[in-house]
Amino acid sequence: MTALAESARVLGMTVNHHLDEAIIDLAPGTTNKWEALTSLGIDRYNAFGNDINDLDLLRNAQHSVRVRNHPGLDDVARVTTAPDPEAVAAEISRLAAAALAD
């Protein structure tokens, strides 16, 4: 896996290691989820993320929710929720209610 990651970097790809899952995530160039949103003109959004490949997405969100307790997202997530559908749905409902109250 180390050799594959290094080969991808040499080719100019972005490489994210997911050590807890023993996988690597490859993306062309410096492309990430946040850059994809901004290329579409989206600059105000709420985001949910669970791993280091969500760092920029969460860092630039109006409201950032970490799903699971990934330590690499400590400084960017405003809220942490359990990785189960009910917990995520509850946070979405809370955000929707807050938006209606504004």
Side-chain angles (χ1 to χ4, degrees):
M1 292 228 332
T2 302
L4 176 61
E6 190 52 39
S7 295
R9 279 191 193 91
V10 168
L11 293 172
M13 299 181 86
T14 297
V15 178
N16 290 301
H17 289 262
H18 303 275
L19 299 175
D20 55 334
E21 299 175 77
I23 62 172
I24 56 175
D25 179 359
L26 305 174
T30 60
T31 301
N32 62 41
K33 295 171 187 178
W34 174 68
E35 287 178 355
L37 285 178
T38 58
S39 74
L40 296 171
I42 299 169
D43 59 359
R44 293 182 49 124
Y45 61 91
N46 297 322
F48 289 69
N50 69 331
D51 218 323
I52 198 67
N53 65 342
D54 298 313
L55 182 65
D56 286 335
L57 180 74
L58 294 172
R59 179 182 290 139
N60 292 286
Q62 287 181 267
H63 184 81
S64 54
V65 180
R66 173 174 58 176
V67 179
R68 242 178 7 109
N69 194 22
H70 192 289
L73 304 177
D74 283 347
D75 296 334
V76 297
R78 293 182 62 199
V79 173
T80 297
T81 189
D84 66 74
E86 293 82 18
V88 173
E91 185 61 21
I92 292 170
S93 293
R94 191 186 72 68
L95 286 170
L100 290 174
D102 284 343

